[in-house]
Amino acid sequence: MQFDSFASFLDMGGYAFYVWLSFGASAALILLLIFSTLFSHKNARANIARQVKREQRLQQAQAQANVSESTSQ
Amino acid sequence: MWKWLHPYANPEVSYHFAGKLKPWLGLSSALLLTVGLIWALLFAPADYQQGESFRIFYIHVPSAILSMSIYLAMAIAALSSLVWQVRLADASAAALAPIGAVFTAIALLTGAAWGKPMWGTWWVWDARLTSELILLFLYLGVIALHNAFDDKQMAGKAAGILALVGVINLPIIKYSVEWWNTLHQGPTVSKLGAPAMASEMYWPFVLCFFGFALLVGAVACVRFQTEIITRNKMRPWVRNLVTSEVN
């Protein structure tokens, strides 16, 4: 352990601002990358699923229309 | 070798391969980064000249090395897409570009925050810093080109050519500290040969470096999967996949 107390750890030998700026900014950027990656993956899947469902509904509606057309004749 | 590699040119096989790989990469990265960063922040000795500000080294150098390695990987993927028409190579190049951009930004930011107390300035237009800034712009250009076209194949071609032209920047970054007399110090850790630093500083660095590298791998797997399903959304296997699984 290089530091005697928590306060001296936070102080970083007088370089607190620069050290914590580096670690903080890096952590923020990496977390942003991770979350945006997970979010866009989920989003992509949801978009494709929505499209599949829409097409299925369209097919169903078309099939029903065909059935009612043939019965009315 | 081609027989062995051939199944990985299939998007479905690659999708599941990336899916199997990502938890292992993520877990080992979390483990290495936890140990490495605690070691770097609490137990590694302070530098005799730079004091505690030296702790910035443990994120600055790994992310700077990775920013160049990711670019090289992306350029190789772009080359195999342009020359051998490997479709999936475009997907991996598109997956890697934003990750590389983030690590380049981290290298620049931590470099600025280290430069201020050590050199007295946040930024100088010296060769190393300027070429690394150009690397960031190259990444942003590649990302913009990938998103500029609806036709992903055309986007991949345009972005691939930019990525390949930008490779010239990599040796400039690497040797800038030797070719020009700059404010940036020379290399402290070389990949081959004995490190020019004490072992109690070297080991936390190694842990942090591999921790970040594995993190890049895990994030790349997820982004690669996203690229595969968006490029193959008309395929039956993708349609079954997105409608059957909950996650």
Side-chain angles (χ1 to χ4, degrees):
Chain A
M1 185 75 89
Q2 295 291 320
F3 300 98
D4 316 325
S5 65
F6 188 63
S8 77
F9 169 65
L10 285 183
D11 185 51
M12 277 289 156
Y15 294 116
F17 175 68
Y18 304 107
V19 172
W20 296 120
L21 175 70
S22 296
F23 278 79
S26 307
L29 278 173
I30 285 174
L31 287 178
L32 197 72
L33 175 71
I34 291 173
F35 285 120
S36 80
T37 297
L38 294 177
F39 176 78
S40 62
H41 187 70
K42 234 176 134 179
N43 217 12
R45 293 186 70 128
N47 277 339
I48 300 171
R50 213 173 300 136
Q51 199 183 339
V52 170
K53 269 191 196 133
R54 194 165 51 225
E55 282 170 23
Q56 278 170 351
R57 267 204 307 274
L58 251 148
Q59 271 173 357
Q60 259 174 4
Q62 210 146 39
Q64 263 174 359
N66 285 344
V67 167
S68 57
E69 213 173 277
S70 58
T71 47
S72 66
Q73 273 173 356
Chain B
M1 189 183 91
W2 292 114
K3 230 174 207 168
W4 179 78
L5 272 176
H6 188 254
Y8 292 100
N10 175 340
E12 187 175 2
V13 175
S14 302
Y15 181 91
H16 291 297
F17 181 65
K20 264 186 211 135
L21 220 55
K22 74 187 168 185
W24 298 105
L25 292 172
L27 274 177
S28 47
S29 153
L31 189 75
L32 286 187
L33 277 181
T34 311
V35 177
L37 287 175
I38 290 175
W39 194 346
L41 274 174
L42 284 174
F43 298 99
D47 187 73
Y48 82 104
Q49 275 184 328
Q50 311 196 347
E52 310 290 356
S53 80
F54 183 73
R55 293 180 201 284
I56 296 173
F57 167 89
Y58 298 105
I59 17 180
H60 177 71
V61 177
S63 50
I65 295 174
L66 284 170
S67 72
M68 294 198 287
S69 327
I70 296 169
Y71 195 91
L72 191 63
M74 185 179 79
I76 291 170
L79 184 73
S80 40
S81 158
L82 285 171
V83 177
W84 297 290
Q85 316 272 315
V86 185
R87 288 271 185 93
L88 280 176
D90 264 348
S92 55
L96 283 171
I99 310 175
V102 164
F103 279 91
T104 311
I106 290 176
L108 286 168
L109 270 171
T110 53
W114 200 5
K116 182 65 185 162
M118 291 302 117
W119 304 338
T121 174
W122 294 98
W123 183 262
V124 283
W125 292 103
D126 100 350
R128 176 54 78 79
L129 278 68
T130 309
S131 52
E132 183 79 7
L133 184 67
I134 290 171
L135 186 71
L136 180 65
F137 293 151
L138 282 170
Y139 273 125
L140 296 180
V142 169
I143 295 168
L145 280 177
H146 270 296
N147 295 323
F149 299 91
D150 285 329
D151 179 0
K152 283 291 167 198
Q153 238 182 316
M154 194 145 73
K157 239 178 219 170
I161 290 168
L162 176 62
L164 285 178
V165 171
V167 168
I168 187 67
N169 194 31
L170 290 183
I172 297 178
I173 300 175
K174 183 151 172 30
Y175 296 108
S176 56
V177 288
E178 292 165 24
W179 292 343
W180 293 286
N181 202 359
T182 68
L183 206 50
H184 195 286
Q185 67 186 70
T188 318
V189 277
S190 53
K191 272 166 207 154
L192 303 165
M197 63 193 302
S199 62
E200 56 268 35
M201 286 173 169
Y202 185 63
W203 285 109
F205 161 75
V206 168
L207 288 182
C208 287
F209 175 74
F210 284 105
F212 283 122
L214 289 164
L215 178 71
V216 169
V219 175
C221 278
V222 182
R223 298 197 80 95
F224 183 52
Q225 287 187 310
T226 315
E227 293 291 335
I228 290 178
I229 56 168
T230 43
R231 280 149 202 260
N232 295 283
K233 56 182 160 199
M234 301 310 277
R235 305 278 163 156
W237 74 267
V238 175
R239 302 185 147 228
N240 288 336
L241 188 90
V242 294
T243 42
S244 60
E245 275 179 75
V246 191
N247 57 340

